[in-house]
Amino acid sequence: MDHKSVAERVLTAVGGTDNIAAGAHCATRLRLVLKDMNVINQDALDNDEDLKGTFNNSGQFQIIVGPGDVDEVYKHMAAAGMKQVSKDELKNVAASQGNLFTRFIKVVSEIFLPIIPVLVGTGLLMALNNVLTAPKIFDPTKSLIELYPAWEGFAGIVNLLSAAAFAFLPVLVGFTATKVFGGNPYLGMTMGAAMVFPSLVNGYNVAAALEDGTMTYWDVFGIQVQQAGYQGTVLPVILVAFILANVEKFFHKILKGTIDFMFTPTLTLLITGFATFMLVGPPMFKLGTLLGEGINWLYTAAGPVGGFLFGLVYSPIVITGLHQSFPPIELQLLAAGGSFIFAIASMANVAQGGAALGVYLTSKDKKMKALAGATAPSAFLGITEPAIFGVNIRLRWPFYIAMGASAVASTLIALFGVKASGLGAAGFLGLPSIDPAQGMGWMGFIIAILTSAVLSTGASFIYGKRVFAGQVAEEEVEAAAPATAAASVAAPAASAPAAATEGYELTAHLNGTAVELSAVSDPTFASGALGPGAAVEPTEGKLYAPADGKVTVAFPTGHAIGMRTDKGVEVLMHIGFDTVELDGKHFTPKVERGQEVKRGDVLVEFDMAAIKAAGYPLTTPLVITNAKKTVDSTALAVAAGSTVAAGRDQLVSVAAKTATV
């Protein structure tokens, strides 16, 4: 590979150094933060025979070059004027791109991506619970379980399962948010659990407790601290996770060895805990109260304009969790004759469902289509978190479309004088909660909610057709992949003789359980972009040489090792995924570049418990990076799930490439 030429071609394709905010690299990939993604010449990158693929992740445009080459290409790009930063710094650069709201959306999307399946499952269960328990849907006065008491036990279990994830949402978000911010996710999960501890006043009742004076307090050296829980909240726990991660990083820098291991988690939890209940909680609850009072004043004073503005911002308010401060205000409105809040919440929820439905109808990506199809119905029935966090926020434009549709429909709610006489499921099932005697009553609600659904679905469909126009269906990619792989691995080049490589075995590179390469969680390895091979889920923190040969890539961080075997086959072993972000912590390299090794020699030792505690998977792939030139085919030599011993048991069988003349 002509590294300088590759660097020049990459720079040209991404718009030059002026379009690169910063760059870094790992064992196999260039990681670039670009100022303008629209200038990328994707065709040039896709058709470059020296590059193995590209993808965009967390604001970083990643270009797969390969081990042993990526660092050389990176050097030439840096020499051309590209700004160089560390991997941690690159995360900060990526996070700083765009306006404040866009950056917030990116962070929220990254935090919620791992827990989307939980929100989808529990959201649909909660929608089912609404159907079972909401009054007036199937009878003028009773709910379904009141009509059929035999279903009460079933409904009780459904309610428990559906409410669990939302009641303990800070635990889930605490884990994922702390990981995103670079801290120990288990510490984040612990803080999340503290925020919903049973002895605290339940988060859903905090506003009422403050209103009626029943809130309990801790006396901390004369300071009264609210014993308030955070059930169902989002923004407070994200802020807490940010504080925790930075406090932990600070102590990791100043404390070392055993002192660090013992006191960093202790001090981190102590400081973050006091900050949570003394500095984060009270302002958040006060802000929610002021927001609710302000919206009530605006709606009352401005009428349709107030309805438009409240409908526009309702879903963003749901993201923050501040909508939980609305119940006391809503109860006052109900006591005074009717609540507009419930009616507008229904418009916003249905709009989010319609936007997700538009994605379902237009997306060609199988996973996104399935997710949108599952989350839209729950939003229509009043549970929007799965649609918001699973689809609309991730894509952004469906969320904005839903906000607009909600604003228009909420304007109609104000014009028609529609108000609720009670609470219920804020969506299509909300009709029985609407007071038929106020304004246009049920007819007004039906017109407004259908407007919300039609506008959001239609706009999302039209815009989605444009956005997904060039998208290739995932099943088409999968169907084409075997043929492409066969062509790249099996077909020898006709223009030049290939090196004759004897068929032989690559033994396991770790003690553990064999895993099919296609089953690993990292899409770059799973797709075979870096080459064919297999993986091992380790049971011991040692990486071994799978054959005799020479070390060709030895990162000082110790997370990846490359070697050329005595048969000319180049292999890359990558311990876990995204472990480059640990910057060498918990890894102890035992070899250097250029060192001769024998099958079974220890290459790296690593602390499995510490790496897992930091939130990183340890599944370790072994791939042949020069398979096009050296082998006809490879296969996992044992059944997936089999136990393998490093340096002894065969892991990958290698068929030699037949020499051509």
Side-chain angles (χ1 to χ4, degrees):
M1 178 185 292
D2 184 341
H3 298 116
K4 184 177 182 180
S5 176
V6 173
E8 291 172 348
R9 297 199 301 270
V10 168
L11 286 172
T12 300
V14 300
T17 56
D18 290 341
N19 193 43
I20 301 176
H25 75 90
C26 58
T28 60
R29 312 166 204 173
L30 295 168
R31 297 173 177 237
L32 310 176
V33 174
L34 303 179
K35 298 174 184 177
D36 185 359
M37 297 288 290
N38 294 321
V39 305
I40 298 173
N41 186 343
Q42 191 63 51
D43 288 341
L45 295 172
D46 291 342
N47 295 324
D48 194 315
E49 61 181 13
D50 288 318
L51 304 177
K52 299 176 175 65
T54 67
F55 61 96
N56 194 20
N57 183 39
S58 301
Q60 298 178 23
F61 186 65
Q62 302 190 21
I63 303 173
I64 306 168
V65 181
D69 293 313
V70 65
D71 50 338
E72 297 299 324
V73 172
Y74 180 80
K75 288 177 184 177
H76 287 291
M77 293 175 66
M82 180 186 70
K83 181 181 178 181
Q84 304 176 71
V85 296
S86 68
K87 270 85 65 183
D88 275 345
E89 291 171 331
L90 194 68
K91 279 187 174 182
N92 295 331
V93 173
S96 67
Q97 298 296 298
N99 58 49
L100 183 62
F101 183 69
T102 299
R103 283 150 49 192
F104 173 73
I105 293 300
K106 286 181 180 178
V107 171
V108 170
S109 298
E110 196 171 346
I111 288 169
F112 276 87
L113 186 60
I115 60 176
I116 286 171
V118 177
L119 294 178
V120 171
T122 55
L124 290 174
L125 286 175
M126 189 165 285
L128 173 61
N129 180 69
N130 287 343
V131 172
L132 293 170
T133 61
K136 304 180 183 179
I137 295 177
F138 302 98
D139 182 86
T141 59
K142 296 180 179 180
S143 66
L144 188 64
I145 60 172
E146 289 174 326
L147 290 172
Y148 303 99
W151 284 86
E152 186 173 356
F154 176 81
I157 294 176
V158 169
N159 180 52
L160 173 68
L161 296 174
S162 66
F166 292 96
F168 294 96
L169 191 60
V171 179
L172 301 174
V173 175
F175 183 95
T176 58
T178 304
K179 185 175 180 180
V180 167
F181 293 132
N184 185 327
Y186 294 97
L187 291 178
M189 183 169 63
T190 300
M191 272 309 308
M195 294 170 72
V196 293
F197 202 72
S199 64
L200 302 175
V201 174
N202 190 287
Y204 298 108
N205 301 324
V206 166
L210 290 171
E211 180 76 17
D212 60 22
T214 58
M215 173 62 70
T216 55
Y217 295 84
W218 289 296
D219 188 327
V220 182
F221 305 117
I223 301 173
Q224 298 299 299
V225 181
Q226 295 174 3
Q227 296 183 20
Y230 293 81
Q231 282 82 355
T233 60
V234 173
L235 191 59
V237 71
I238 291 177
L239 179 57
V240 167
F242 178 78
I243 295 171
L244 183 145
N246 283 280
V247 170
E248 183 190 7
K249 289 177 183 177
F250 170 77
F251 284 115
H252 277 317
K253 289 180 180 178
I254 65 173
L255 302 178
K256 304 298 178 184
T258 304
I259 300 298
D260 178 31
F261 183 79
M262 292 177 59
F263 288 102
T264 291
T266 305
L267 293 172
T268 297
L269 288 173
L270 186 65
I271 293 172
T272 307
F274 274 87
T276 297
F277 292 103
M278 298 181 72
L279 302 178
V280 176
M284 291 298 299
F285 288 120
K286 184 62 177 177
L287 178 61
T289 301
L290 292 175
L291 179 64
E293 292 174 349
I295 287 171
N296 185 29
W297 172 84
L298 179 65
Y299 188 90
T300 303
V305 174
F308 178 90
L309 294 175
F310 187 29
L312 185 69
V313 301
Y314 186 84
S315 290
I317 291 172
V318 168
I319 292 176
T320 67
L322 292 175
H323 65 299
Q324 290 190 17
S325 62
F326 292 167
I329 297 170
E330 192 159 16
L331 290 174
Q332 292 177 19
L333 292 173
L334 290 171
S339 169
F340 64 87
I341 295 177
F342 176 85
I344 289 181
S346 297
M347 301 304 110
N349 291 350
V350 167
Q352 293 295 334
L357 179 59
V359 173
Y360 168 76
L361 295 172
T362 55
S363 177
K364 298 176 184 177
D365 181 271
K366 187 166 62 176
K367 291 181 180 178
M368 178 57 72
K369 194 177 187 72
L371 187 58
T375 58
S378 70
F380 287 143
L381 297 177
I383 311 301
T384 58
E385 283 84 355
I388 289 177
F389 295 118
V391 179
N392 298 347
I393 278 288
R394 287 173 63 189
L395 297 177
R396 282 184 284 180
W397 56 266
F399 187 72
Y400 302 147
I401 286 172
M403 288 173 60
S406 171
V408 173
S410 297
T411 303
L412 295 179
I413 289 291
L415 284 171
F416 296 157
V418 176
K419 291 185 178 181
S421 58
L423 300 180
F428 281 122
L429 294 180
L431 181 62
S433 299
I434 299 301
D435 188 344
Q438 293 207 51
M440 288 183 62
W442 286 3
M443 182 57 66
F445 182 83
I446 292 171
I447 293 172
I449 205 165
L450 289 178
T451 299
S452 180
V454 171
L455 275 180
S456 59
T457 304
S460 180
F461 179 84
I462 293 170
Y463 197 78
K465 279 287 189 180
R466 174 182 161 191
V467 170
F468 300 128
Q471 188 181 56
V472 179
E474 184 177 318
E475 53 267 28
E476 294 175 23
V477 175
E478 291 174 351
T484 304
S488 64
V489 176
S495 59
T501 303
E502 296 180 10
Y504 70 106
E505 304 171 358
L506 291 174
T507 54
H509 49 306
L510 305 105
N511 292 315
T513 305
V515 178
E516 289 276 7
L517 187 63
S518 60
V520 304
S521 61
D522 186 284
T524 305
F525 283 98
S527 67
L530 291 172
V536 170
E537 186 68 37
T539 55
E540 177 196 32
K542 292 182 180 180
L543 180 72
Y544 297 86
D548 297 346
K550 179 186 289 187
V551 176
T552 56
V553 178
F555 276 80
T557 53
H559 74 286
I561 292 287
M563 60 177 288
R564 181 181 290 108
T565 73
D566 56 0
K567 303 297 185 180
V569 174
E570 296 179 359
V571 299
L572 171 69
M573 295 159 283
H574 197 288
I575 302 171
F577 300 119
D578 295 324
T579 47
V580 63
E581 296 171 357
L582 293 170
D583 283 330
K585 195 169 185 178
H586 313 310
F587 294 92
T588 306
K590 295 297 182 181
V591 294
E592 298 177 350
R593 184 174 180 176
Q595 183 174 334
E596 298 282 349
V597 295
K598 294 292 185 182
R599 188 191 304 268
D601 286 352
V602 177
L603 305 176
V604 181
E605 293 183 356
F606 53 97
D607 188 334
M608 291 180 58
I611 296 171
K612 286 183 177 179
Y616 294 90
L618 279 172
T619 308
T620 300
L622 177 154
V623 295
I624 299 174
T625 58
N626 67 340
K628 292 182 181 180
K629 299 178 180 179
T630 59
V631 302
D632 272 335
S633 63
T634 67
L636 182 63
V638 295
S642 300
T643 300
V644 289
R648 186 186 68 191
D649 292 341
Q650 180 183 9
L651 180 69
V652 179
S653 60
V654 181
K657 180 174 283 297
T658 305
T660 60
V661 294

